[in-house]
């Protein structure tokens, strides 16, 4: 019996650019949805021109674009003029979901916001990703502002906790707020699809990057709410050791959450005297005496390779892991066994690997691996097959530069 991906038969129209929208709709595409990505003729998604590029002979393709746009179709359409708007509205009539992350207010100004679209298609789920949220009743002084990922990291309190106490706050990884917002939005869309099964109605899914990052920073919220204390970056008051410790050939990540695991570590270090010592028997004591304890741990680590240290500690009930570089991740047997990296074979630039959607489902087949589309690759097929436009009509739209058809 042919098994389906979970979202087979769901059609998504993606009015998206850069990272958060594209990552969200890629998750839906990986789950089996038909995703129609709307791009500006001529330019396309800005990420099409941002390096690094995969190159093969004369041909090149932007890595960032390839990474977030697999399993999608590309419709090159100018939605500004009325005739382009009409194509968009025809498409929405046949869609289940719209994912949109354009600048706040821009679609409403064009008369293509949720209020307009739900009249055409009451079952439509409209998911909007913005910096600060767009749902009426939840608007704040910042709602109109656009935002890049680093702004959401900063305003959620996350940035203040990253780095060391004697250095300025630091960002985490490039694009984390975008990627996490894409994930949260996909989760919101799944909830809305599930509700639609019961009510038959669509709804507006309002995803704010700031809200998403605050939810990720829930420990800070809990600590401040319960104790009134603001956690500080670089040092934990109740916990030690926690961090990366240097071995012969790289680093090991070590976390000692309680006194039981501390005792196991002391036995491995052959320093059982530290188990009951007043200066190290509790997390708080260890944290205030970290200057004395750090060299003891480091000296043991420095005599061993990452692999050796990892094996000894894990065998003795101290869960640790090596701090991997990019190459380590690609070479890891665990990563390979989990198929965490997917092979995407692009007809233009060849085979490359990208991060797989997380989560395996036991009753669904493996995710599809179609390469990111060329600009306007599916324009003709969508207009003629899905929307039933006659050839003359398509030719006229092309002549007026409302659409672009990929010539190959």
């Amino acid at each position: 019996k042919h098994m389906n991906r979970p979202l087979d038969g769901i059609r998504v129209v993606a009015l998206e650019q850069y990272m958060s929208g594209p990552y969200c709709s890629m998750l839906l595409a990986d789950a089996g949805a038909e995703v129609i990505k709307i791009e500006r003729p001529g330019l396309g998604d800005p990420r099409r021109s941002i390096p690094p590029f995969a190159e093969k002979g004369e041909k090149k393709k932007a890595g960032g674009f390839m990474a977030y746009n697999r399993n999608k179709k590309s419709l090159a359409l100018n939605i500004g003029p009325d005739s382009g708007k009409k194509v968009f509205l025809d498409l929405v009539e046949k869609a289940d979901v719209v994912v949109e992350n354009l600048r706040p207010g821009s679609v409403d100004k064009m008369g293509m916001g949720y209020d307009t679209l739900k009249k055409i298609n009451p079952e439509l789920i409209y998911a909007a990703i913005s910096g600060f949220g767009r749902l009426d009743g939840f608007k704040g002084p910042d709602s109109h502002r656009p935002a890049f990922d680093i702004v959401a990291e900063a305003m959620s309190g996350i940035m203040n906790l990253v780095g060391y106490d004697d250095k300025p706050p630091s960002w985490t990884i490039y694009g984390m707020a975008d990627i996490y917002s894409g994930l949260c939005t996909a989760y919101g869309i799944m909830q809305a699809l599930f509700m639609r099964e019961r009510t038959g109605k669509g709804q507006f899914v309002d995803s704010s990057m700031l809200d998403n990052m605050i939810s990720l920073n829930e420990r800070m919220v809990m600590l401040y709410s319960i104790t009134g204390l603001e956690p500080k970056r670089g040092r934990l008051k109740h916990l030690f050791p926690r961090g990366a410790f240097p071995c012969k050939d790289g680093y090991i990540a070590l976390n000692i959450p309680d006194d039981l695991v501390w005792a196991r570590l002391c036995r491995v270090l052959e320093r059982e005297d530290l188990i009951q010592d007043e200066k190290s028997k509790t997390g708080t004591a260890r944290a205030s005496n970290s200057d004395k304890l750090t060299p003891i741990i480091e000296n043991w680590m420095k005599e061993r390779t990452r692999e050796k240290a990892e094996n000894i500690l894990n065998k003795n009930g101290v869960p640790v892991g090596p701090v991997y570089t990019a190459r380590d991740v690609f070479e890891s047997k665990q990563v390979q066994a989990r198929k965490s990296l997917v092979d995407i074979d692009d007809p233009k630039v060849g085979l490359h690997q990208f991060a797989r959607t997380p989560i395996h489902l036991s009753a669904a087949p493996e995710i599809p691996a179609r390469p990111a589309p060329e600009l306007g690759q599916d324009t003709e097929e969508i207009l003629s097959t899905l929307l039933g436009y006659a050839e003359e009509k398509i030719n006229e739209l092309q002549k007026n530069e409302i659409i672009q058809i990929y010539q190959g």
Side-chain angles (χ1 to χ4, degrees), residues 245-250 252-254 264-271 274 293-316 318 320:
F245 290 84
C247 299
K248 268 185 185 170
D249 58 346
I252 282 273
L254 178 69
R264 292 174 191 162
L265 177 64
C266 292
R267 285 184 203 109
V268 171
L269 300 176
E270 296 181 355
R271 286 299 305 268
L274 297 174
L293 297 170
T294 299
I296 296 171
I297 300 166
E298 283 184 349
N299 290 337
W300 185 88
M301 296 278 189
K302 272 183 205 146
E303 291 170 6
R304 291 160 179 84
T305 62
R306 279 191 312 188
E307 194 181 0
K308 189 88 204 238
E310 180 189 10
N311 290 338
I312 296 170
L313 289 161
N314 281 337
K315 206 166 70 203
N316 286 282
V318 183
V320 296

mmCIF file of all heavy atoms in Angstrom, residues 245-250 252-254 264-271 274 293-316 318 320:
data_model
loop_
_atom_site.group_PDB
_atom_site.id
_atom_site.type_symbol
_atom_site.label_atom_id
_atom_site.label_comp_id
_atom_site.label_asym_id
_atom_site.label_seq_id
_atom_site.Cartn_x
_atom_site.Cartn_y
_atom_site.Cartn_z
ATOM 1 N N PHE A 245 35.328 22.205 27.770
ATOM 2 C CA PHE A 245 36.661 22.042 28.366
ATOM 3 C C PHE A 245 37.619 21.484 27.314
ATOM 4 O O PHE A 245 37.276 20.546 26.603
ATOM 5 C CB PHE A 245 36.593 21.108 29.578
ATOM 6 C CG PHE A 245 35.884 21.732 30.757
ATOM 7 C CD1 PHE A 245 34.498 21.694 30.847
ATOM 8 C CD2 PHE A 245 36.590 22.375 31.765
ATOM 9 C CE1 PHE A 245 33.826 22.283 31.913
ATOM 10 C CE2 PHE A 245 35.941 22.967 32.837
ATOM 11 C CZ PHE A 245 34.555 22.922 32.915
ATOM 12 N N PRO A 246 38.839 22.075 27.218
ATOM 13 C CA PRO A 246 39.754 21.671 26.144
ATOM 14 C C PRO A 246 40.428 20.321 26.393
ATOM 15 O O PRO A 246 40.948 20.078 27.483
ATOM 16 C CB PRO A 246 40.797 22.800 26.126
ATOM 17 C CG PRO A 246 40.735 23.419 27.479
ATOM 18 C CD PRO A 246 39.360 23.177 28.028
ATOM 19 N N CYS A 247 40.396 19.462 25.366
ATOM 20 C CA CYS A 247 41.154 18.207 25.369
ATOM 21 C C CYS A 247 42.358 18.391 24.450
ATOM 22 O O CYS A 247 42.622 19.485 23.980
ATOM 23 C CB CYS A 247 40.293 17.066 24.844
ATOM 24 S SG CYS A 247 38.831 16.776 25.837
ATOM 25 N N LYS A 248 43.050 17.281 24.143
ATOM 26 C CA LYS A 248 44.207 17.346 23.242
ATOM 27 C C LYS A 248 43.827 17.865 21.855
ATOM 28 O O LYS A 248 44.613 18.546 21.213
ATOM 29 C CB LYS A 248 44.809 15.946 23.090
ATOM 30 C CG LYS A 248 45.911 15.642 24.077
ATOM 31 C CD LYS A 248 46.499 14.270 23.739
ATOM 32 C CE LYS A 248 47.544 13.848 24.772
ATOM 33 N NZ LYS A 248 47.945 12.447 24.590
ATOM 34 N N ASP A 249 42.646 17.476 21.385
ATOM 35 C CA ASP A 249 42.313 17.726 19.973
ATOM 36 C C ASP A 249 40.941 18.380 19.797
ATOM 37 O O ASP A 249 40.200 18.046 18.872
ATOM 38 C CB ASP A 249 42.341 16.401 19.208
ATOM 39 C CG ASP A 249 41.363 15.376 19.803
ATOM 40 O OD1 ASP A 249 40.866 15.599 20.942
ATOM 41 O OD2 ASP A 249 41.079 14.368 19.140
ATOM 42 N N GLY A 250 40.588 19.288 20.708
ATOM 43 C CA GLY A 250 39.265 19.909 20.599
ATOM 44 C C GLY A 250 38.634 20.020 21.972
ATOM 45 O O GLY A 250 39.330 19.922 22.985
ATOM 46 N N ILE A 252 35.371 19.236 24.903
ATOM 47 C CA ILE A 252 34.287 18.362 25.397
ATOM 48 C C ILE A 252 33.280 19.250 26.119
ATOM 49 O O ILE A 252 33.665 20.131 26.901
ATOM 50 C CB ILE A 252 34.846 17.327 26.410
ATOM 51 C CG1 ILE A 252 35.567 16.185 25.692
ATOM 52 C CG2 ILE A 252 33.748 16.773 27.291
ATOM 53 C CD1 ILE A 252 34.693 15.036 25.268
ATOM 54 N N ALA A 253 31.999 19.030 25.864
ATOM 55 C CA ALA A 253 30.943 19.761 26.573
ATOM 56 C C ALA A 253 30.544 18.965 27.809
ATOM 57 O O ALA A 253 30.199 17.792 27.721
ATOM 58 C CB ALA A 253 29.733 19.953 25.665
ATOM 59 N N LEU A 254 30.631 19.655 28.951
ATOM 60 C CA LEU A 254 30.408 18.987 30.242
ATOM 61 C C LEU A 254 29.358 19.757 31.030
ATOM 62 O O LEU A 254 29.417 20.982 31.116
ATOM 63 C CB LEU A 254 31.742 18.975 31.007
ATOM 64 C CG LEU A 254 31.781 18.378 32.417
ATOM 65 C CD1 LEU A 254 31.569 16.877 32.363
ATOM 66 C CD2 LEU A 254 33.125 18.684 33.073
ATOM 67 N N ARG A 264 30.365 11.269 40.662
ATOM 68 C CA ARG A 264 30.883 10.382 39.606
ATOM 69 C C ARG A 264 32.084 11.020 38.912
ATOM 70 O O ARG A 264 33.078 10.354 38.616
ATOM 71 C CB ARG A 264 29.803 10.103 38.561
ATOM 72 C CG ARG A 264 28.651 9.264 39.096
ATOM 73 C CD ARG A 264 27.572 9.183 38.027
ATOM 74 N NE ARG A 264 26.346 8.619 38.549
ATOM 75 C CZ ARG A 264 25.165 8.756 37.936
ATOM 76 N NH1 ARG A 264 25.063 9.446 36.809
ATOM 77 N NH2 ARG A 264 24.078 8.207 38.464
ATOM 78 N N LEU A 265 31.982 12.333 38.638
ATOM 79 C CA LEU A 265 33.087 13.031 37.982
ATOM 80 C C LEU A 265 34.338 12.993 38.873
ATOM 81 O O LEU A 265 35.443 12.736 38.386
ATOM 82 C CB LEU A 265 32.705 14.480 37.662
ATOM 83 C CG LEU A 265 33.816 15.343 37.044
ATOM 84 C CD1 LEU A 265 34.233 14.825 35.666
ATOM 85 C CD2 LEU A 265 33.393 16.806 36.936
ATOM 86 N N CYS A 266 34.152 13.233 40.169
ATOM 87 C CA CYS A 266 35.295 13.236 41.097
ATOM 88 C C CYS A 266 36.004 11.886 41.099
ATOM 89 O O CYS A 266 37.240 11.821 41.160
ATOM 90 C CB CYS A 266 34.841 13.582 42.513
ATOM 91 S SG CYS A 266 34.282 15.288 42.644
ATOM 92 N N ARG A 267 35.220 10.793 41.017
ATOM 93 C CA ARG A 267 35.840 9.462 40.990
ATOM 94 C C ARG A 267 36.665 9.285 39.718
ATOM 95 O O ARG A 267 37.762 8.730 39.758
ATOM 96 C CB ARG A 267 34.765 8.370 41.095
ATOM 97 C CG ARG A 267 34.223 8.265 42.512
ATOM 98 C CD ARG A 267 33.226 7.118 42.697
ATOM 99 N NE ARG A 267 32.391 7.426 43.851
ATOM 100 C CZ ARG A 267 31.120 7.759 43.800
ATOM 101 N NH1 ARG A 267 30.489 7.816 42.624
ATOM 102 N NH2 ARG A 267 30.450 8.045 44.898
ATOM 103 N N VAL A 268 36.140 9.759 38.590
ATOM 104 C CA VAL A 268 36.885 9.669 37.327
ATOM 105 C C VAL A 268 38.178 10.487 37.427
ATOM 106 O O VAL A 268 39.249 10.053 37.000
ATOM 107 C CB VAL A 268 36.029 10.167 36.134
ATOM 108 C CG1 VAL A 268 36.871 10.278 34.862
ATOM 109 C CG2 VAL A 268 34.849 9.228 35.891
ATOM 110 N N LEU A 269 38.095 11.671 38.037
ATOM 111 C CA LEU A 269 39.267 12.551 38.174
ATOM 112 C C LEU A 269 40.235 12.054 39.248
ATOM 113 O O LEU A 269 41.303 12.628 39.449
ATOM 114 C CB LEU A 269 38.818 13.978 38.526
ATOM 115 C CG LEU A 269 37.901 14.724 37.559
ATOM 116 C CD1 LEU A 269 37.490 16.077 38.143
ATOM 117 C CD2 LEU A 269 38.551 14.919 36.200
ATOM 118 N N GLU A 270 39.819 10.996 39.990
ATOM 119 C CA GLU A 270 40.572 10.483 41.133
ATOM 120 C C GLU A 270 40.778 11.571 42.174
ATOM 121 O O GLU A 270 41.864 11.747 42.731
ATOM 122 C CB GLU A 270 41.916 9.865 40.678
ATOM 123 C CG GLU A 270 41.694 8.649 39.781
ATOM 124 C CD GLU A 270 42.984 7.971 39.322
ATOM 125 O OE1 GLU A 270 44.080 8.502 39.621
ATOM 126 O OE2 GLU A 270 42.875 6.919 38.670
ATOM 127 N N ARG A 271 39.688 12.316 42.430
ATOM 128 C CA ARG A 271 39.699 13.362 43.454
ATOM 129 C C ARG A 271 38.465 13.207 44.335
ATOM 130 O O ARG A 271 37.642 14.098 44.448
ATOM 131 C CB ARG A 271 39.707 14.749 42.790
ATOM 132 C CG ARG A 271 41.033 15.175 42.166
ATOM 133 C CD ARG A 271 42.194 15.279 43.146
ATOM 134 N NE ARG A 271 41.926 16.165 44.274
ATOM 135 C CZ ARG A 271 42.220 17.464 44.306
ATOM 136 N NH1 ARG A 271 42.811 18.036 43.272
ATOM 137 N NH2 ARG A 271 41.944 18.189 45.369
ATOM 138 N N LEU A 274 36.984 15.742 46.836
ATOM 139 C CA LEU A 274 36.159 16.902 46.474
ATOM 140 C C LEU A 274 34.658 16.627 46.611
ATOM 141 O O LEU A 274 33.844 17.545 46.531
ATOM 142 C CB LEU A 274 36.470 17.335 45.030
ATOM 143 C CG LEU A 274 37.900 17.819 44.751
ATOM 144 C CD1 LEU A 274 38.099 18.067 43.263
ATOM 145 C CD2 LEU A 274 38.201 19.096 45.540
ATOM 146 N N LEU A 293 38.484 24.981 40.854
ATOM 147 C CA LEU A 293 38.077 23.664 40.335
ATOM 148 C C LEU A 293 38.349 23.505 38.837
ATOM 149 O O LEU A 293 38.632 22.402 38.369
ATOM 150 C CB LEU A 293 36.583 23.425 40.617
ATOM 151 C CG LEU A 293 36.193 23.375 42.112
ATOM 152 C CD1 LEU A 293 34.681 23.382 42.275
ATOM 153 C CD2 LEU A 293 36.783 22.141 42.797
ATOM 154 N N THR A 294 38.274 24.621 38.106
ATOM 155 C CA THR A 294 38.455 24.548 36.647
ATOM 156 C C THR A 294 39.790 23.895 36.251
ATOM 157 O O THR A 294 39.800 22.973 35.432
ATOM 158 C CB THR A 294 38.313 25.946 36.004
ATOM 159 O OG1 THR A 294 36.987 26.421 36.275
ATOM 160 C CG2 THR A 294 38.517 25.893 34.504
ATOM 161 N N PRO A 295 40.937 24.330 36.823
ATOM 162 C CA PRO A 295 42.221 23.718 36.428
ATOM 163 C C PRO A 295 42.276 22.219 36.696
ATOM 164 O O PRO A 295 42.921 21.485 35.932
ATOM 165 C CB PRO A 295 43.257 24.456 37.286
ATOM 166 C CG PRO A 295 42.582 25.669 37.807
ATOM 167 C CD PRO A 295 41.106 25.419 37.788
ATOM 168 N N ILE A 296 41.611 21.765 37.757
ATOM 169 C CA ILE A 296 41.627 20.319 38.083
ATOM 170 C C ILE A 296 40.987 19.525 36.944
ATOM 171 O O ILE A 296 41.522 18.506 36.495
ATOM 172 C CB ILE A 296 40.886 20.056 39.418
ATOM 173 C CG1 ILE A 296 41.629 20.756 40.566
ATOM 174 C CG2 ILE A 296 40.745 18.557 39.682
ATOM 175 C CD1 ILE A 296 40.889 20.743 41.893
ATOM 176 N N ILE A 297 39.831 20.030 36.448
ATOM 177 C CA ILE A 297 39.134 19.358 35.351
ATOM 178 C C ILE A 297 39.954 19.494 34.066
ATOM 179 O O ILE A 297 40.144 18.529 33.320
ATOM 180 C CB ILE A 297 37.717 19.957 35.164
ATOM 181 C CG1 ILE A 297 36.898 19.775 36.442
ATOM 182 C CG2 ILE A 297 37.003 19.309 33.982
ATOM 183 C CD1 ILE A 297 35.620 20.601 36.498
ATOM 184 N N GLU A 298 40.470 20.695 33.822
ATOM 185 C CA GLU A 298 41.213 20.947 32.579
ATOM 186 C C GLU A 298 42.479 20.088 32.485
ATOM 187 O O GLU A 298 42.799 19.580 31.404
ATOM 188 C CB GLU A 298 41.573 22.429 32.469
ATOM 189 C CG GLU A 298 40.394 23.281 32.037
ATOM 190 C CD GLU A 298 40.750 24.757 31.833
ATOM 191 O OE1 GLU A 298 41.866 25.162 32.232
ATOM 192 O OE2 GLU A 298 39.902 25.482 31.285
ATOM 193 N N ASN A 299 43.161 19.915 33.602
ATOM 194 C CA ASN A 299 44.396 19.112 33.572
ATOM 195 C C ASN A 299 44.119 17.667 33.190
ATOM 196 O O ASN A 299 44.877 17.055 32.440
ATOM 197 C CB ASN A 299 45.129 19.188 34.923
ATOM 198 C CG ASN A 299 45.727 20.573 35.140
ATOM 199 O OD1 ASN A 299 45.972 21.310 34.178
ATOM 200 N ND2 ASN A 299 45.944 20.943 36.394
ATOM 201 N N TRP A 300 42.999 17.139 33.699
ATOM 202 C CA TRP A 300 42.617 15.757 33.343
ATOM 203 C C TRP A 300 42.291 15.673 31.851
ATOM 204 O O TRP A 300 42.721 14.762 31.147
ATOM 205 C CB TRP A 300 41.416 15.330 34.194
ATOM 206 C CG TRP A 300 41.035 13.885 33.994
ATOM 207 C CD1 TRP A 300 41.530 12.802 34.659
ATOM 208 C CD2 TRP A 300 40.074 13.369 33.041
ATOM 209 N NE1 TRP A 300 40.946 11.644 34.192
ATOM 210 C CE2 TRP A 300 40.044 11.960 33.204
ATOM 211 C CE3 TRP A 300 39.245 13.950 32.089
ATOM 212 C CZ2 TRP A 300 39.217 11.125 32.443
ATOM 213 C CZ3 TRP A 300 38.413 13.129 31.326
ATOM 214 C CH2 TRP A 300 38.401 11.731 31.505
ATOM 215 N N MET A 301 41.509 16.647 31.351
ATOM 216 C CA MET A 301 41.079 16.662 29.945
ATOM 217 C C MET A 301 42.274 16.788 28.996
ATOM 218 O O MET A 301 42.349 16.119 27.980
ATOM 219 C CB MET A 301 40.126 17.836 29.673
ATOM 220 C CG MET A 301 38.808 17.764 30.422
ATOM 221 S SD MET A 301 37.613 16.703 29.584
ATOM 222 C CE MET A 301 36.138 17.050 30.557
ATOM 223 N N LYS A 302 43.191 17.700 29.338
ATOM 224 C CA LYS A 302 44.312 18.027 28.444
ATOM 225 C C LYS A 302 45.205 16.829 28.131
ATOM 226 O O LYS A 302 45.916 16.828 27.142
ATOM 227 C CB LYS A 302 45.167 19.138 29.068
ATOM 228 C CG LYS A 302 44.672 20.526 28.721
ATOM 229 C CD LYS A 302 45.612 21.586 29.299
ATOM 230 C CE LYS A 302 44.890 22.909 29.531
ATOM 231 N NZ LYS A 302 45.396 23.623 30.702
ATOM 232 N N GLU A 303 45.165 15.811 29.009
ATOM 233 C CA GLU A 303 46.001 14.630 28.788
ATOM 234 C C GLU A 303 45.343 13.627 27.849
ATOM 235 O O GLU A 303 45.912 12.590 27.538
ATOM 236 C CB GLU A 303 46.312 13.948 30.131
ATOM 237 C CG GLU A 303 47.231 14.770 31.004
ATOM 238 C CD GLU A 303 47.330 14.186 32.411
ATOM 239 O OE1 GLU A 303 46.771 13.082 32.648
ATOM 240 O OE2 GLU A 303 47.955 14.840 33.262
ATOM 241 N N ARG A 304 44.095 13.906 27.451
ATOM 242 C CA ARG A 304 43.346 12.924 26.667
ATOM 243 C C ARG A 304 42.763 13.522 25.388
ATOM 244 O O ARG A 304 42.541 14.722 25.302
ATOM 245 C CB ARG A 304 42.192 12.352 27.522
ATOM 246 C CG ARG A 304 42.700 11.487 28.651
ATOM 247 C CD ARG A 304 41.689 11.293 29.770
ATOM 248 N NE ARG A 304 42.251 10.427 30.805
ATOM 249 C CZ ARG A 304 43.038 10.855 31.794
ATOM 250 N NH1 ARG A 304 43.356 12.138 31.879
ATOM 251 N NH2 ARG A 304 43.512 10.008 32.691
ATOM 252 N N THR A 305 42.508 12.658 24.417
ATOM 253 C CA THR A 305 41.803 13.114 23.219
ATOM 254 C C THR A 305 40.314 13.244 23.556
ATOM 255 O O THR A 305 39.851 12.666 24.544
ATOM 256 C CB THR A 305 41.944 12.109 22.057
ATOM 257 O OG1 THR A 305 41.348 10.866 22.470
ATOM 258 C CG2 THR A 305 43.404 11.909 21.674
ATOM 259 N N ARG A 306 39.594 13.965 22.689
ATOM 260 C CA ARG A 306 38.132 14.092 22.877
ATOM 261 C C ARG A 306 37.481 12.711 23.005
ATOM 262 O O ARG A 306 36.672 12.476 23.887
ATOM 263 C CB ARG A 306 37.506 14.778 21.658
ATOM 264 C CG ARG A 306 37.613 16.267 21.623
ATOM 265 C CD ARG A 306 36.757 16.886 20.543
ATOM 266 N NE ARG A 306 36.876 16.256 19.229
ATOM 267 C CZ ARG A 306 36.330 16.741 18.122
ATOM 268 N NH1 ARG A 306 35.634 17.856 18.162
ATOM 269 N NH2 ARG A 306 36.448 16.130 16.970
ATOM 270 N N GLU A 307 37.864 11.822 22.082
ATOM 271 C CA GLU A 307 37.209 10.504 22.037
ATOM 272 C C GLU A 307 37.456 9.713 23.314
ATOM 273 O O GLU A 307 36.558 9.107 23.885
ATOM 274 C CB GLU A 307 37.721 9.740 20.809
ATOM 275 C CG GLU A 307 36.855 8.532 20.496
ATOM 276 C CD GLU A 307 37.353 7.740 19.282
ATOM 277 O OE1 GLU A 307 38.382 8.136 18.690
ATOM 278 O OE2 GLU A 307 36.711 6.729 18.950
ATOM 279 N N LYS A 308 38.707 9.757 23.771
ATOM 280 C CA LYS A 308 39.090 9.025 24.984
ATOM 281 C C LYS A 308 38.311 9.575 26.198
ATOM 282 O O LYS A 308 37.703 8.831 26.967
ATOM 283 C CB LYS A 308 40.604 9.188 25.186
ATOM 284 C CG LYS A 308 41.198 8.314 26.262
ATOM 285 C CD LYS A 308 41.616 6.965 25.709
ATOM 286 C CE LYS A 308 41.639 5.978 26.841
ATOM 287 N NZ LYS A 308 42.779 5.277 27.169
ATOM 288 N N ALA A 309 38.322 10.907 26.353
ATOM 289 C CA ALA A 309 37.635 11.543 27.480
ATOM 290 C C ALA A 309 36.134 11.250 27.429
ATOM 291 O O ALA A 309 35.512 10.917 28.452
ATOM 292 C CB ALA A 309 37.875 13.053 27.451
ATOM 293 N N GLU A 310 35.578 11.344 26.224
ATOM 294 C CA GLU A 310 34.142 11.099 26.046
ATOM 295 C C GLU A 310 33.778 9.682 26.484
ATOM 296 O O GLU A 310 32.818 9.468 27.229
ATOM 297 C CB GLU A 310 33.806 11.305 24.556
ATOM 298 C CG GLU A 310 32.353 11.080 24.203
ATOM 299 C CD GLU A 310 32.110 11.089 22.694
ATOM 300 O OE1 GLU A 310 33.077 11.080 21.897
ATOM 301 O OE2 GLU A 310 30.930 11.104 22.318
ATOM 302 N N ASN A 311 34.581 8.697 26.045
ATOM 303 C CA ASN A 311 34.281 7.304 26.381
ATOM 304 C C ASN A 311 34.365 7.036 27.876
ATOM 305 O O ASN A 311 33.481 6.399 28.457
ATOM 306 C CB ASN A 311 35.219 6.352 25.617
ATOM 307 C CG ASN A 311 34.900 6.346 24.130
ATOM 308 O OD1 ASN A 311 33.782 6.705 23.726
ATOM 309 N ND2 ASN A 311 35.862 5.966 23.306
ATOM 310 N N ILE A 312 35.414 7.538 28.524
ATOM 311 C CA ILE A 312 35.587 7.299 29.964
ATOM 312 C C ILE A 312 34.434 7.927 30.750
ATOM 313 O O ILE A 312 33.820 7.293 31.612
ATOM 314 C CB ILE A 312 36.944 7.864 30.469
ATOM 315 C CG1 ILE A 312 38.115 7.119 29.803
ATOM 316 C CG2 ILE A 312 37.039 7.762 31.987
ATOM 317 C CD1 ILE A 312 39.485 7.757 30.043
ATOM 318 N N LEU A 313 34.135 9.196 30.449
ATOM 319 C CA LEU A 313 33.097 9.910 31.205
ATOM 320 C C LEU A 313 31.717 9.299 30.989
ATOM 321 O O LEU A 313 30.984 9.047 31.946
ATOM 322 C CB LEU A 313 33.120 11.393 30.840
ATOM 323 C CG LEU A 313 34.346 12.158 31.368
ATOM 324 C CD1 LEU A 313 34.557 13.466 30.622
ATOM 325 C CD2 LEU A 313 34.220 12.415 32.875
ATOM 326 N N ASN A 314 31.362 9.028 29.744
ATOM 327 C CA ASN A 314 30.047 8.442 29.476
ATOM 328 C C ASN A 314 29.892 7.080 30.143
ATOM 329 O O ASN A 314 28.838 6.756 30.685
ATOM 330 C CB ASN A 314 29.787 8.325 27.967
ATOM 331 C CG ASN A 314 29.371 9.666 27.358
ATOM 332 O OD1 ASN A 314 28.883 10.541 28.058
ATOM 333 N ND2 ASN A 314 29.573 9.821 26.060
ATOM 334 N N LYS A 315 30.967 6.281 30.118
ATOM 335 C CA LYS A 315 30.925 4.953 30.739
ATOM 336 C C LYS A 315 30.709 5.058 32.248
ATOM 337 O O LYS A 315 30.123 4.173 32.871
ATOM 338 C CB LYS A 315 32.223 4.204 30.426
ATOM 339 C CG LYS A 315 32.082 2.695 30.447
ATOM 340 C CD LYS A 315 33.281 1.996 29.818
ATOM 341 C CE LYS A 315 34.515 2.163 30.719
ATOM 342 N NZ LYS A 315 35.787 2.017 29.957
ATOM 343 N N ASN A 316 31.172 6.169 32.837
ATOM 344 C CA ASN A 316 31.047 6.345 34.284
ATOM 345 C C ASN A 316 29.853 7.211 34.690
ATOM 346 O O ASN A 316 29.824 7.765 35.791
ATOM 347 C CB ASN A 316 32.348 6.910 34.848
ATOM 348 C CG ASN A 316 33.445 5.841 34.896
ATOM 349 O OD1 ASN A 316 33.451 4.995 35.772
ATOM 350 N ND2 ASN A 316 34.352 5.874 33.924
ATOM 351 N N VAL A 318 28.716 10.101 33.459
ATOM 352 C CA VAL A 318 28.801 11.556 33.312
ATOM 353 C C VAL A 318 28.543 11.869 31.834
ATOM 354 O O VAL A 318 29.457 11.757 31.018
ATOM 355 C CB VAL A 318 30.200 12.091 33.723
ATOM 356 C CG1 VAL A 318 30.234 13.614 33.643
ATOM 357 C CG2 VAL A 318 30.575 11.614 35.130
ATOM 358 N N VAL A 320 28.541 13.339 28.452
ATOM 359 C CA VAL A 320 29.273 14.418 27.786
ATOM 360 C C VAL A 320 29.216 14.192 26.282
ATOM 361 O O VAL A 320 28.822 13.125 25.815
ATOM 362 C CB VAL A 320 30.767 14.470 28.208
ATOM 363 C CG1 VAL A 320 30.910 14.798 29.667
ATOM 364 C CG2 VAL A 320 31.486 13.164 27.848
#
